Amino acid sequence: MTELYLGTDLYHALVECLLPVAGNGNADQIRAVIGPLAKDRMEPLADRLAHLPPCPACGAVTGNEIKIVLGEVGDIWPNHIRSAVTLAHYEDHLTRH
C-alpha cells in the first residue's frame, strides 16, 4: 500500500467528520464517511476506527487518535508533510549507499 496524501483542508475535514462516529463500533458509518478516498485500504481502517478507544487523558476520541490510525493503518497523511517525508527518504537512501 502506498501513501495517500490528501490536501490539508480535506485531511482536516475528514478527521472532523470522523470524530462523531469513531469509536462507536459501527464500521458502516466509518465507511460512509471515508467513501471512495480509501477504497483499497477501507476494511482494516474502518474496523480500527470503529473500535477506537478513547484518549486516556480526556476520556473521548480526539482528532489525535484518528490521525494516528489514519497514518498507521490507512497510510493516509496530510499533504503538508510530504516534503519532510520525501527528504527523510532521501537522507535514508544516502546513508544506506
Side-chain angles (χ1 to χ4, degrees):
M1 176 172 36
T2 60
E3 299 99 354
L4 173 62
Y5 290 98
L6 301 178
T8 302
D9 290 339
L10 177 59
Y11 180 83
H12 290 299
L14 177 61
V15 171
E16 289 299 315
C17 289
L18 286 168
L19 270 172
V21 296
N24 71 1
N26 190 336
D28 288 336
Q29 285 183 325
I30 303 296
R31 285 184 204 91
V33 170
I34 296 174
L37 284 176
K39 61 184 172 190
D40 62 331
R41 55 196 93 201
M42 181 64 79
E43 291 314 310
L45 185 57
D47 186 57
R48 179 71 79 77
L49 286 167
H51 298 95
L52 190 61
C55 168
C58 71
V61 172
T62 69
N64 288 336
E65 284 83 31
I66 292 171
K67 290 173 186 177
I68 290 168
V69 172
L70 287 174
E72 290 181 352
V73 177
D75 212 6
I76 299 172
W77 309 95
N79 196 44
H80 69 268
I81 71 162
R82 185 187 295 224
S83 60
V85 172
T86 301
L87 180 59
H89 285 305
Y90 175 72
E91 289 173 345
D92 184 52
H93 177 75
L94 289 178
T95 60
R96 291 177 188 232
H97 292 94

mmCIF file with all atom_site columns, all heavy atoms in Angstrom, residues 65-84:
data_model
loop_
_atom_site.group_PDB
_atom_site.id
_atom_site.type_symbol
_atom_site.label_atom_id
_atom_site.label_alt_id
_atom_site.label_comp_id
_atom_site.label_asym_id
_atom_site.label_entity_id
_atom_site.label_seq_id
_atom_site.pdbx_PDB_ins_code
_atom_site.Cartn_x
_atom_site.Cartn_y
_atom_site.Cartn_z
_atom_site.occupancy
_atom_site.B_iso_or_equiv
_atom_site.pdbx_formal_charge
_atom_site.auth_seq_id
_atom_site.auth_comp_id
_atom_site.auth_asym_id
_atom_site.auth_atom_id
_atom_site.pdbx_PDB_model_num
ATOM 1   N N   . GLU A 1 65 ? -6.146  10.673 18.051 1.00 0.00 ? 65 GLU A N   1
ATOM 2   C CA  . GLU A 1 65 ? -6.282  9.226  17.887 1.00 0.00 ? 65 GLU A CA  1
ATOM 3   C C   . GLU A 1 65 ? -6.651  8.882  16.448 1.00 0.00 ? 65 GLU A C   1
ATOM 4   O O   . GLU A 1 65 ? -6.146  7.924  15.871 1.00 0.00 ? 65 GLU A O   1
ATOM 5   C CB  . GLU A 1 65 ? -7.344  8.654  18.837 1.00 0.00 ? 65 GLU A CB  1
ATOM 6   C CG  . GLU A 1 65 ? -6.905  8.540  20.265 1.00 0.00 ? 65 GLU A CG  1
ATOM 7   C CD  . GLU A 1 65 ? -7.045  9.839  21.039 1.00 0.00 ? 65 GLU A CD  1
ATOM 8   O OE1 . GLU A 1 65 ? -7.950  10.634 20.728 1.00 0.00 ? 65 GLU A OE1 1
ATOM 9   O OE2 . GLU A 1 65 ? -6.239  10.070 21.930 1.00 0.00 ? 65 GLU A OE2 1
ATOM 10  N N   . ILE A 1 66 ? -7.538  9.678  15.868 1.00 0.00 ? 66 ILE A N   1
ATOM 11  C CA  . ILE A 1 66 ? -7.964  9.440  14.482 1.00 0.00 ? 66 ILE A CA  1
ATOM 12  C C   . ILE A 1 66 ? -6.787  9.612  13.534 1.00 0.00 ? 66 ILE A C   1
ATOM 13  O O   . ILE A 1 66 ? -6.564  8.783  12.644 1.00 0.00 ? 66 ILE A O   1
ATOM 14  C CB  . ILE A 1 66 ? -9.135  10.369 14.103 1.00 0.00 ? 66 ILE A CB  1
ATOM 15  C CG1 . ILE A 1 66 ? -10.378 9.964  14.912 1.00 0.00 ? 66 ILE A CG1 1
ATOM 16  C CG2 . ILE A 1 66 ? -9.406  10.328 12.603 1.00 0.00 ? 66 ILE A CG2 1
ATOM 17  C CD1 . ILE A 1 66 ? -11.536 10.919 14.793 1.00 0.00 ? 66 ILE A CD1 1
ATOM 18  N N   . LYS A 1 67 ? -5.998  10.644 13.721 1.00 0.00 ? 67 LYS A N   1
ATOM 19  C CA  . LYS A 1 67 ? -4.840  10.877 12.858 1.00 0.00 ? 67 LYS A CA  1
ATOM 20  C C   . LYS A 1 67 ? -3.821  9.744  12.959 1.00 0.00 ? 67 LYS A C   1
ATOM 21  O O   . LYS A 1 67 ? -3.228  9.356  11.951 1.00 0.00 ? 67 LYS A O   1
ATOM 22  C CB  . LYS A 1 67 ? -4.178  12.207 13.210 1.00 0.00 ? 67 LYS A CB  1
ATOM 23  C CG  . LYS A 1 67 ? -5.014  13.406 12.836 1.00 0.00 ? 67 LYS A CG  1
ATOM 24  C CD  . LYS A 1 67 ? -4.403  14.689 13.360 1.00 0.00 ? 67 LYS A CD  1
ATOM 25  C CE  . LYS A 1 67 ? -5.311  15.864 13.102 1.00 0.00 ? 67 LYS A CE  1
ATOM 26  N NZ  . LYS A 1 67 ? -4.770  17.119 13.676 1.00 0.00 ? 67 LYS A NZ  1
ATOM 27  N N   . ILE A 1 68 ? -3.631  9.219  14.152 1.00 0.00 ? 68 ILE A N   1
ATOM 28  C CA  . ILE A 1 68 ? -2.695  8.103  14.320 1.00 0.00 ? 68 ILE A CA  1
ATOM 29  C C   . ILE A 1 68 ? -3.167  6.900  13.524 1.00 0.00 ? 68 ILE A C   1
ATOM 30  O O   . ILE A 1 68 ? -2.396  6.259  12.809 1.00 0.00 ? 68 ILE A O   1
ATOM 31  C CB  . ILE A 1 68 ? -2.516  7.763  15.817 1.00 0.00 ? 68 ILE A CB  1
ATOM 32  C CG1 . ILE A 1 68 ? -1.742  8.881  16.511 1.00 0.00 ? 68 ILE A CG1 1
ATOM 33  C CG2 . ILE A 1 68 ? -1.822  6.413  15.997 1.00 0.00 ? 68 ILE A CG2 1
ATOM 34  C CD1 . ILE A 1 68 ? -1.751  8.805  18.030 1.00 0.00 ? 68 ILE A CD1 1
ATOM 35  N N   . VAL A 1 69 ? -4.459  6.580  13.609 1.00 0.00 ? 69 VAL A N   1
ATOM 36  C CA  . VAL A 1 69 ? -4.997  5.435  12.873 1.00 0.00 ? 69 VAL A CA  1
ATOM 37  C C   . VAL A 1 69 ? -4.954  5.694  11.369 1.00 0.00 ? 69 VAL A C   1
ATOM 38  O O   . VAL A 1 69 ? -4.597  4.796  10.592 1.00 0.00 ? 69 VAL A O   1
ATOM 39  C CB  . VAL A 1 69 ? -6.433  5.103  13.335 1.00 0.00 ? 69 VAL A CB  1
ATOM 40  C CG1 . VAL A 1 69 ? -7.067  4.052  12.444 1.00 0.00 ? 69 VAL A CG1 1
ATOM 41  C CG2 . VAL A 1 69 ? -6.418  4.634  14.778 1.00 0.00 ? 69 VAL A CG2 1
ATOM 42  N N   . LEU A 1 70 ? -5.301  6.903  10.940 1.00 0.00 ? 70 LEU A N   1
ATOM 43  C CA  . LEU A 1 70 ? -5.223  7.205  9.503  1.00 0.00 ? 70 LEU A CA  1
ATOM 44  C C   . LEU A 1 70 ? -3.816  6.960  8.982  1.00 0.00 ? 70 LEU A C   1
ATOM 45  O O   . LEU A 1 70 ? -3.635  6.397  7.904  1.00 0.00 ? 70 LEU A O   1
ATOM 46  C CB  . LEU A 1 70 ? -5.648  8.651  9.227  1.00 0.00 ? 70 LEU A CB  1
ATOM 47  C CG  . LEU A 1 70 ? -7.131  8.961  9.342  1.00 0.00 ? 70 LEU A CG  1
ATOM 48  C CD1 . LEU A 1 70 ? -7.371  10.463 9.179  1.00 0.00 ? 70 LEU A CD1 1
ATOM 49  C CD2 . LEU A 1 70 ? -7.948  8.183  8.327  1.00 0.00 ? 70 LEU A CD2 1
ATOM 50  N N   . GLY A 1 71 ? -2.813  7.355  9.748  1.00 0.00 ? 71 GLY A N   1
ATOM 51  C CA  . GLY A 1 71 ? -1.432  7.166  9.315  1.00 0.00 ? 71 GLY A CA  1
ATOM 52  C C   . GLY A 1 71 ? -0.947  5.740  9.441  1.00 0.00 ? 71 GLY A C   1
ATOM 53  O O   . GLY A 1 71 ? -0.437  5.162  8.486  1.00 0.00 ? 71 GLY A O   1
ATOM 54  N N   . GLU A 1 72 ? -1.127  5.142  10.620 1.00 0.00 ? 72 GLU A N   1
ATOM 55  C CA  . GLU A 1 72 ? -0.564  3.815  10.867 1.00 0.00 ? 72 GLU A CA  1
ATOM 56  C C   . GLU A 1 72 ? -1.308  2.703  10.136 1.00 0.00 ? 72 GLU A C   1
ATOM 57  O O   . GLU A 1 72 ? -0.692  1.753  9.675  1.00 0.00 ? 72 GLU A O   1
ATOM 58  C CB  . GLU A 1 72 ? -0.556  3.514  12.365 1.00 0.00 ? 72 GLU A CB  1
ATOM 59  C CG  . GLU A 1 72 ? 0.448   4.341  13.134 1.00 0.00 ? 72 GLU A CG  1
ATOM 60  C CD  . GLU A 1 72 ? 0.467   4.035  14.622 1.00 0.00 ? 72 GLU A CD  1
ATOM 61  O OE1 . GLU A 1 72 ? -0.404  3.287  15.110 1.00 0.00 ? 72 GLU A OE1 1
ATOM 62  O OE2 . GLU A 1 72 ? 1.368   4.561  15.295 1.00 0.00 ? 72 GLU A OE2 1
ATOM 63  N N   . VAL A 1 73 ? -2.617  2.796  10.048 1.00 0.00 ? 73 VAL A N   1
ATOM 64  C CA  . VAL A 1 73 ? -3.402  1.727  9.434  1.00 0.00 ? 73 VAL A CA  1
ATOM 65  C C   . VAL A 1 73 ? -3.708  2.028  7.970  1.00 0.00 ? 73 VAL A C   1
ATOM 66  O O   . VAL A 1 73 ? -3.585  1.173  7.106  1.00 0.00 ? 73 VAL A O   1
ATOM 67  C CB  . VAL A 1 73 ? -4.718  1.481  10.218 1.00 0.00 ? 73 VAL A CB  1
ATOM 68  C CG1 . VAL A 1 73 ? -5.577  0.422  9.544  1.00 0.00 ? 73 VAL A CG1 1
ATOM 69  C CG2 . VAL A 1 73 ? -4.416  1.099  11.655 1.00 0.00 ? 73 VAL A CG2 1
ATOM 70  N N   . GLY A 1 74 ? -4.098  3.274  7.694  1.00 0.00 ? 74 GLY A N   1
ATOM 71  C CA  . GLY A 1 74 ? -4.505  3.624  6.341  1.00 0.00 ? 74 GLY A CA  1
ATOM 72  C C   . GLY A 1 74 ? -3.407  4.207  5.474  1.00 0.00 ? 74 GLY A C   1
ATOM 73  O O   . GLY A 1 74 ? -3.566  4.345  4.273  1.00 0.00 ? 74 GLY A O   1
ATOM 74  N N   . ASP A 1 75 ? -2.281  4.577  6.091  1.00 0.00 ? 75 ASP A N   1
ATOM 75  C CA  . ASP A 1 75 ? -1.193  5.243  5.373  1.00 0.00 ? 75 ASP A CA  1
ATOM 76  C C   . ASP A 1 75 ? -1.709  6.493  4.660  1.00 0.00 ? 75 ASP A C   1
ATOM 77  O O   . ASP A 1 75 ? -1.365  6.781  3.524  1.00 0.00 ? 75 ASP A O   1
ATOM 78  C CB  . ASP A 1 75 ? -0.513  4.282  4.394  1.00 0.00 ? 75 ASP A CB  1
ATOM 79  C CG  . ASP A 1 75 ? 0.965   4.572  4.213  1.00 0.00 ? 75 ASP A CG  1
ATOM 80  O OD1 . ASP A 1 75 ? 1.496   5.441  4.931  1.00 0.00 ? 75 ASP A OD1 1
ATOM 81  O OD2 . ASP A 1 75 ? 1.592   3.939  3.360  1.00 0.00 ? 75 ASP A OD2 1
ATOM 82  N N   . ILE A 1 76 ? -2.578  7.221  5.374  1.00 0.00 ? 76 ILE A N   1
ATOM 83  C CA  . ILE A 1 76 ? -3.188  8.451  4.866  1.00 0.00 ? 76 ILE A CA  1
ATOM 84  C C   . ILE A 1 76 ? -2.610  9.618  5.661  1.00 0.00 ? 76 ILE A C   1
ATOM 85  O O   . ILE A 1 76 ? -2.654  9.618  6.894  1.00 0.00 ? 76 ILE A O   1
ATOM 86  C CB  . ILE A 1 76 ? -4.726  8.409  5.011  1.00 0.00 ? 76 ILE A CB  1
ATOM 87  C CG1 . ILE A 1 76 ? -5.283  7.239  4.193  1.00 0.00 ? 76 ILE A CG1 1
ATOM 88  C CG2 . ILE A 1 76 ? -5.353  9.728  4.584  1.00 0.00 ? 76 ILE A CG2 1
ATOM 89  C CD1 . ILE A 1 76 ? -6.761  6.984  4.423  1.00 0.00 ? 76 ILE A CD1 1
ATOM 90  N N   . TRP A 1 77 ? -2.118  10.617 4.936  1.00 0.00 ? 77 TRP A N   1
ATOM 91  C CA  . TRP A 1 77 ? -1.386  11.714 5.556  1.00 0.00 ? 77 TRP A CA  1
ATOM 92  C C   . TRP A 1 77 ? -1.823  13.050 4.959  1.00 0.00 ? 77 TRP A C   1
ATOM 93  O O   . TRP A 1 77 ? -2.240  13.112 3.817  1.00 0.00 ? 77 TRP A O   1
ATOM 94  C CB  . TRP A 1 77 ? 0.110   11.537 5.323  1.00 0.00 ? 77 TRP A CB  1
ATOM 95  C CG  . TRP A 1 77 ? 0.604   10.195 5.696  1.00 0.00 ? 77 TRP A CG  1
ATOM 96  C CD1 . TRP A 1 77 ? 0.773   9.118  4.863  1.00 0.00 ? 77 TRP A CD1 1
ATOM 97  C CD2 . TRP A 1 77 ? 0.949   9.737  6.996  1.00 0.00 ? 77 TRP A CD2 1
ATOM 98  N NE1 . TRP A 1 77 ? 1.216   8.026  5.573  1.00 0.00 ? 77 TRP A NE1 1
ATOM 99  C CE2 . TRP A 1 77 ? 1.343   8.377  6.889  1.00 0.00 ? 77 TRP A CE2 1
ATOM 100 C CE3 . TRP A 1 77 ? 0.980   10.340 8.254  1.00 0.00 ? 77 TRP A CE3 1
ATOM 101 C CZ2 . TRP A 1 77 ? 1.762   7.635  7.983  1.00 0.00 ? 77 TRP A CZ2 1
ATOM 102 C CZ3 . TRP A 1 77 ? 1.405   9.582  9.331  1.00 0.00 ? 77 TRP A CZ3 1
ATOM 103 C CH2 . TRP A 1 77 ? 1.778   8.257  9.191  1.00 0.00 ? 77 TRP A CH2 1
ATOM 104 N N   . PRO A 1 78 ? -1.628  14.153 5.725  1.00 0.00 ? 78 PRO A N   1
ATOM 105 C CA  . PRO A 1 78 ? -1.879  15.472 5.153  1.00 0.00 ? 78 PRO A CA  1
ATOM 106 C C   . PRO A 1 78 ? -0.751  15.847 4.191  1.00 0.00 ? 78 PRO A C   1
ATOM 107 O O   . PRO A 1 78 ? 0.419   15.529 4.434  1.00 0.00 ? 78 PRO A O   1
ATOM 108 C CB  . PRO A 1 78 ? -1.910  16.394 6.372  1.00 0.00 ? 78 PRO A CB  1
ATOM 109 C CG  . PRO A 1 78 ? -1.077  15.697 7.390  1.00 0.00 ? 78 PRO A CG  1
ATOM 110 C CD  . PRO A 1 78 ? -1.256  14.221 7.132  1.00 0.00 ? 78 PRO A CD  1
ATOM 111 N N   . ASN A 1 79 ? -1.093  16.491 3.122  1.00 0.00 ? 79 ASN A N   1
ATOM 112 C CA  . ASN A 1 79 ? -0.124  16.822 2.083  1.00 0.00 ? 79 ASN A CA  1
ATOM 113 C C   . ASN A 1 79 ? 1.009   17.717 2.580  1.00 0.00 ? 79 ASN A C   1
ATOM 114 O O   . ASN A 1 79 ? 2.116   17.649 2.059  1.00 0.00 ? 79 ASN A O   1
ATOM 115 C CB  . ASN A 1 79 ? -0.840  17.485 0.899  1.00 0.00 ? 79 ASN A CB  1
ATOM 116 C CG  . ASN A 1 79 ? 0.022   17.497 -0.329 1.00 0.00 ? 79 ASN A CG  1
ATOM 117 O OD1 . ASN A 1 79 ? 0.658   16.502 -0.648 1.00 0.00 ? 79 ASN A OD1 1
ATOM 118 N ND2 . ASN A 1 79 ? 0.046   18.618 -1.017 1.00 0.00 ? 79 ASN A ND2 1
ATOM 119 N N   . HIS A 1 80 ? 0.760   18.521 3.605  1.00 0.00 ? 80 HIS A N   1
ATOM 120 C CA  . HIS A 1 80 ? 1.797   19.452 4.049  1.00 0.00 ? 80 HIS A CA  1
ATOM 121 C C   . HIS A 1 80 ? 3.017   18.757 4.660  1.00 0.00 ? 80 HIS A C   1
ATOM 122 O O   . HIS A 1 80 ? 4.045   19.394 4.851  1.00 0.00 ? 80 HIS A O   1
ATOM 123 C CB  . HIS A 1 80 ? 1.227   20.512 5.003  1.00 0.00 ? 80 HIS A CB  1
ATOM 124 C CG  . HIS A 1 80 ? 0.810   19.985 6.344  1.00 0.00 ? 80 HIS A CG  1
ATOM 125 N ND1 . HIS A 1 80 ? -0.459  19.564 6.603  1.00 0.00 ? 80 HIS A ND1 1
ATOM 126 C CD2 . HIS A 1 80 ? 1.509   19.819 7.486  1.00 0.00 ? 80 HIS A CD2 1
ATOM 127 C CE1 . HIS A 1 80 ? -0.543  19.153 7.848  1.00 0.00 ? 80 HIS A CE1 1
ATOM 128 N NE2 . HIS A 1 80 ? 0.645   19.291 8.408  1.00 0.00 ? 80 HIS A NE2 1
ATOM 129 N N   . ILE A 1 81 ? 2.937   17.459 4.936  1.00 0.00 ? 81 ILE A N   1
ATOM 130 C CA  . ILE A 1 81 ? 4.115   16.757 5.462  1.00 0.00 ? 81 ILE A CA  1
ATOM 131 C C   . ILE A 1 81 ? 4.897   16.035 4.370  1.00 0.00 ? 81 ILE A C   1
ATOM 132 O O   . ILE A 1 81 ? 5.958   15.480 4.630  1.00 0.00 ? 81 ILE A O   1
ATOM 133 C CB  . ILE A 1 81 ? 3.748   15.759 6.584  1.00 0.00 ? 81 ILE A CB  1
ATOM 134 C CG1 . ILE A 1 81 ? 2.997   14.558 6.018  1.00 0.00 ? 81 ILE A CG1 1
ATOM 135 C CG2 . ILE A 1 81 ? 2.997   16.441 7.709  1.00 0.00 ? 81 ILE A CG2 1
ATOM 136 C CD1 . ILE A 1 81 ? 2.989   13.369 6.942  1.00 0.00 ? 81 ILE A CD1 1
ATOM 137 N N   . ARG A 1 82 ? 4.388   16.057 3.153  1.00 0.00 ? 82 ARG A N   1
ATOM 138 C CA  . ARG A 1 82 ? 5.016   15.285 2.072  1.00 0.00 ? 82 ARG A CA  1
ATOM 139 C C   . ARG A 1 82 ? 6.479   15.661 1.859  1.00 0.00 ? 82 ARG A C   1
ATOM 140 O O   . ARG A 1 82 ? 7.324   14.794 1.669  1.00 0.00 ? 82 ARG A O   1
ATOM 141 C CB  . ARG A 1 82 ? 4.256   15.455 0.764  1.00 0.00 ? 82 ARG A CB  1
ATOM 142 C CG  . ARG A 1 82 ? 4.793   14.573 -0.338 1.00 0.00 ? 82 ARG A CG  1
ATOM 143 C CD  . ARG A 1 82 ? 4.160   14.857 -1.669 1.00 0.00 ? 82 ARG A CD  1
ATOM 144 N NE  . ARG A 1 82 ? 2.764   14.532 -1.654 1.00 0.00 ? 82 ARG A NE  1
ATOM 145 C CZ  . ARG A 1 82 ? 2.134   13.881 -2.622 1.00 0.00 ? 82 ARG A CZ  1
ATOM 146 N NH1 . ARG A 1 82 ? 2.815   13.493 -3.680 1.00 0.00 ? 82 ARG A NH1 1
ATOM 147 N NH2 . ARG A 1 82 ? 0.864   13.633 -2.562 1.00 0.00 ? 82 ARG A NH2 1
ATOM 148 N N   . SER A 1 83 ? 6.819   16.937 1.886  1.00 0.00 ? 83 SER A N   1
ATOM 149 C CA  . SER A 1 83 ? 8.211   17.335 1.632  1.00 0.00 ? 83 SER A CA  1
ATOM 150 C C   . SER A 1 83 ? 9.133   16.808 2.729  1.00 0.00 ? 83 SER A C   1
ATOM 151 O O   . SER A 1 83 ? 10.251  16.370 2.451  1.00 0.00 ? 83 SER A O   1
ATOM 152 C CB  . SER A 1 83 ? 8.331   18.849 1.498  1.00 0.00 ? 83 SER A CB  1
ATOM 153 O OG  . SER A 1 83 ? 7.893   19.489 2.687  1.00 0.00 ? 83 SER A OG  1
ATOM 154 N N   . ALA A 1 84 ? 8.683   16.809 3.973  1.00 0.00 ? 84 ALA A N   1
ATOM 155 C CA  . ALA A 1 84 ? 9.505   16.280 5.063  1.00 0.00 ? 84 ALA A CA  1
ATOM 156 C C   . ALA A 1 84 ? 9.708   14.771 4.913  1.00 0.00 ? 84 ALA A C   1
ATOM 157 O O   . ALA A 1 84 ? 10.803  14.253 5.165  1.00 0.00 ? 84 ALA A O   1
ATOM 158 C CB  . ALA A 1 84 ? 8.856   16.596 6.409  1.00 0.00 ? 84 ALA A CB  1
#
